[in-house]
Amino acid sequence: MKTCHFLKISSIIFAATLASGCVANCSHTKGNETSETVIQELPEKEKEPVAEVPVAEAPVQKAEETKPAPKKEEPKATEVSFTTPKPDPKPKEEAKAEPKKEEPKPKKEEPKPEPKKEEPKPEPKKEEPKKEEVADEEYTRSVAQMAAGQTVDVATFNKDKEAVLAIINELNAVMKEQNYKDWLNYLDEESKTYWSNKSNLKKAQKRLPVKGLTLSTLEDYFKYIFIPSRQGNQMDEIRYETESSVKAVQIRTDEKGKYAGDTVYYYLRKVNGGWKLHLPQM
């Protein structure tokens, strides 16, 4: 009996020992599984090394549950009444369309006139004597030296003066070009004969202001006497000696502008209704 009782006690102790060993192993295994699971659920931090934590001491972090976004309240649809409006007994008259008012176009700005420059006022002209008075005075001077018993009227005077001054203008061009042949066409025959005589030329040669010049021909007279004594002078009036003989003169005036005398440059004679140049004799 004692032996059987001892065996029972021994079997009970052995069974208890096995049971305690199994319990310890099971608890250890469960602890390891739990720690591994926790490590896998930890989120990795960006660019930071994960510190090694003992499996047993790592706290279990619960993942934050994302809260669902609040639902937006949709606006309630307004209720539409299905009642049809009653027509008005009298239709309203449609408003007449008013005509569109044309907007006024902007006026173009006209260029402002430039201010006129004040022109210098001309100096008052000196009162000149009337033409009639001048003509009367000139006519009186022109006929004052005529031979006794001879006279010309005003119309003849004006005509003769115009013709004489025109011939002198032509002679100015002939002298400028020293054209001897053309000059001969203006001379009367008496002048050609007289100044072609060598003795008359020698007399004139002695009176020349320039010594050493020789006058042998009428052409020498033209070049050395006629041109130098007349070229560049302006003729103003004529003086009658007779009805067919005149002098072309340049008038002289005093300081007040009044007539003071004449300077004679040309003698002309009327031949066959035309005027010819006459060279005075010595």
Side-chain angles (χ1 to χ4, degrees):
M1 290 290 292
K2 292 181 180 180
T3 302
C4 293
H5 186 70
F6 177 79
L7 289 172
K8 286 180 182 180
I9 294 170
S10 298
S11 60
I12 291 168
I13 295 170
F14 181 74
T17 305
L18 287 175
S20 62
C22 289
V23 172
N25 287 331
C26 288
S27 64
H28 180 71
T29 303
K30 289 180 180 179
N32 288 338
E33 291 176 357
T34 305
S35 62
E36 288 176 2
T37 304
V38 170
I39 291 170
Q40 290 178 357
E41 292 178 356
L42 287 174
E44 295 180 358
K45 295 182 179 179
E46 292 180 0
K47 298 182 183 180
E48 290 185 4
V50 180
E52 295 181 359
V53 182
V55 176
E57 296 179 359
V60 179
Q61 296 180 357
K62 292 182 181 181
E64 294 181 359
E65 295 179 358
T66 55
K67 294 181 181 180
K71 293 181 179 181
K72 295 181 179 179
E73 292 184 0
E74 297 181 358
K76 293 180 181 181
T78 56
E79 294 181 359
V80 180
S81 62
F82 292 94
T83 57
T84 56
K86 294 181 180 180
D88 293 337
K90 294 181 180 179
K92 294 180 180 180
E93 294 181 357
E94 294 181 357
K96 295 181 181 179
E98 295 181 359
K100 293 182 180 179
K101 295 181 180 180
E102 294 183 357
E103 295 181 358
K105 295 181 180 179
K107 293 182 180 179
K108 293 182 180 179
E109 292 184 359
E110 297 181 356
K112 295 180 180 179
E114 295 182 358
K116 292 182 180 180
K117 294 181 180 180
E118 293 183 359
E119 297 181 356
K121 294 180 180 179
E123 295 180 358
K125 294 181 180 181
K126 295 180 180 179
E127 291 183 1
E128 297 179 356
K130 294 180 181 181
K131 289 183 179 180
E132 294 179 358
E133 294 177 0
V134 173
D136 290 343
E137 291 179 4
E138 183 179 345
Y139 171 75
T140 302
R141 289 194 298 266
S142 296
V143 299
Q145 299 175 5
M146 291 185 70
Q150 296 191 10
T151 185
V152 293
D153 57 19
V154 176
T156 304
F157 158 73
N158 291 329
K159 184 178 178 181
D160 289 342
K161 177 186 175 182
E162 183 179 356
V164 168
L165 294 182
I167 290 172
I168 292 172
N169 286 333
E170 293 173 3
L171 284 171
N172 288 333
V174 170
M175 289 186 290
K176 186 176 181 180
E177 296 174 0
Q178 294 188 357
N179 192 332
Y180 172 69
K181 290 182 180 181
D182 284 350
W183 179 68
L184 289 175
N185 296 327
Y186 291 91
L187 284 180
D188 62 0
E189 293 300 325
E190 185 180 344
S191 298
K192 290 178 183 178
T193 302
Y194 182 86
W195 287 106
S196 294
N197 190 327
K198 291 184 178 180
S199 61
N200 294 331
L201 291 172
K202 286 182 179 179
K203 291 178 183 178
Q205 179 180 327
K206 293 178 181 178
R207 297 184 181 183
L208 289 175
V210 179
K211 303 299 179 182
L213 294 176
T214 303
L215 300 178
S216 301
T217 62
L218 182 58
E219 186 175 2
D220 293 337
Y221 177 91
F222 170 67
K223 290 180 180 179
Y224 302 124
I225 295 178
F226 185 84
I227 292 176
S229 60
R230 292 168 177 84
Q231 191 174 20
N233 296 304
Q234 181 67 36
M235 300 302 103
D236 302 314
E237 299 179 7
I238 61 174
R239 301 286 182 262
Y240 283 96
E241 293 179 324
T242 65
E243 294 176 354
S244 59
S245 175
V246 298
K247 298 180 287 188
V249 301
Q250 186 179 48
I251 63 172
R252 299 190 304 272
T253 57
D254 58 13
E255 295 177 355
K256 296 180 179 180
K258 292 183 178 182
Y259 172 75
D262 300 331
T263 302
V264 181
Y265 286 97
Y266 297 94
Y267 293 85
L268 295 100
R269 289 181 178 178
K270 186 176 286 187
V271 179
N272 299 327
W275 293 96
K276 288 288 187 177
L277 184 64
H278 178 74
L279 302 178
Q281 300 177 2
M282 295 183 66

